[in-house]
Amino acid sequence: MHNDIASASSSGSGVRVLFLDHSAALGGAELYLLDLAPAFAPPGKVLLLEEGPFYEKLQAAGIPVEVIIAPETVRRVAREAGPGSALRAAPGLLGLAWRVARKARAFDLIYANSQKALIVGSLAARMARRPLVWNLHDVLSAAHFSRLNIRLAVTLANQSVRLVIANSEASREAFRQAGGRPPVVVVHNGFDVQRFAPKPPEQIVALRQALGLPPGPVVGLFSRLAPWKGQHVLLEALAQLPGVQALLVGEALFQDEQRYAQQLRERAAQDDLRGRVHFLGFREDVPLLLQLVDVVVHTSIAPEPFGRVIVEGMLARRPVVATRGGGAVEIVRDGETGLLVPPGDVQALAAAIRRLLDHPEQARQLAEAAYQDACMRFSIEATRRRVWHALTEVIP
Ligand code: UDP
Ligand code: GLC
């Protein structure tokens, strides 16, 4: 099907997409786009509003990419922006949208891949007279965003967006609850299944040595360090699991996350956890690290919009424990393809990890069923095809 998309594009009947993302960091939404974009670009292109590692990755993948640096006033409008900073950002925002609009005239549509891209994209789409598609990667609820932020996103979507592509039913449902009116199709993230194939055992032994891990069971949590990702819940569960080690893979990106990371480090240095928690920072070798761990845990205490790491664990044939809510319940069938525990429940998390470690044959069967299921439901080919069909509805 990838070939269908590619040939349709090169024969000129494909959709020329201008992807717009404000971020050049390697967050989940950007990693999703990195996998999606090759089916569309060229002739499509990715436009970023800052420089960073995502830019390098796109270039290395042969995807046309350009950066228009957003003015400082626009970049400072934080996630929880108030009316003051929004007002100061207005002139810079108009100028930025104008520059994006000039690029957009060479494309059939603008595809905003983040909320800030939605703000810029809604102005640019009007200026360039191009339809706007928004890929919604967030659950727009009070657990994640201020009321002002939600109202802004929904108002812009209602006024300017032709089609919303939501990363899960949960994200679609929250958008509807918040008053979102445009048509929504749900397209789950897709993955290159081969990336998560088993690795040679000597590579895993070498990695274990390089990380200085003593023998014994290891659980892995692959997420940026942020309060809502719930790493603290894992640390408390670990306190009840003597002898079990944890890899915390990911780094803190924002200011409040730095504080949280410090608190995690202090907790991990206490007697009952000392030496058992390994902070690895951001890693590029997640597929290899997945092969090293005995259990993959996901601990988000607010509904996870989708949860790439859950699928990645399944594709790596690891047993997965995830918190019930958001996209996780669309990915995992509890007791069949993984275990679901209530968010923030230390006892339940500890019990689920213990169950998997104490019953390796059960864990293996769970992981095998999960692998089969994930291959069928979350392939990159299927995701590219669904997005492509959705876009051809917008540009027939
Ligand atoms: N990831 C990574 N290196 C790290 C930590 C995470 O490459 O050190 C990747 C991980 O493999 C996953 C993505 O970052 O693909 C995180 O996406 P997810 O949807 O789980 O959460 P998000 O951070 O986007 O909310
Ligand atoms: C966002 C969400 C995450 C999702 C990713 C890709 O980063 O927080 O849950 O998996 O987008 O859609």
Side-chain angles (χ1 to χ4, degrees), residues 290-313:
L290 281 166
Q291 298 290 331
L292 184 154
V293 303
D294 299 288
V295 176
V296 171
V297 289
H298 162 271
T299 53
S300 296
I301 55 172
E304 182 72 53
F306 177 71
R308 293 174 58 83
V309 290
I310 302 170
V311 180
E312 290 171 356

Side-chain angles (χ1 to χ4, degrees), residues 235-236 238-240 267-277:
L235 295 196
E236 295 315 322
L238 216 59
Q240 301 185 14
R267 176 66 186 92
Q270 288 173 13
D271 281 349
D272 56 346
L273 292 180
R274 190 170 306 131
R276 294 200 283 135
V277 183

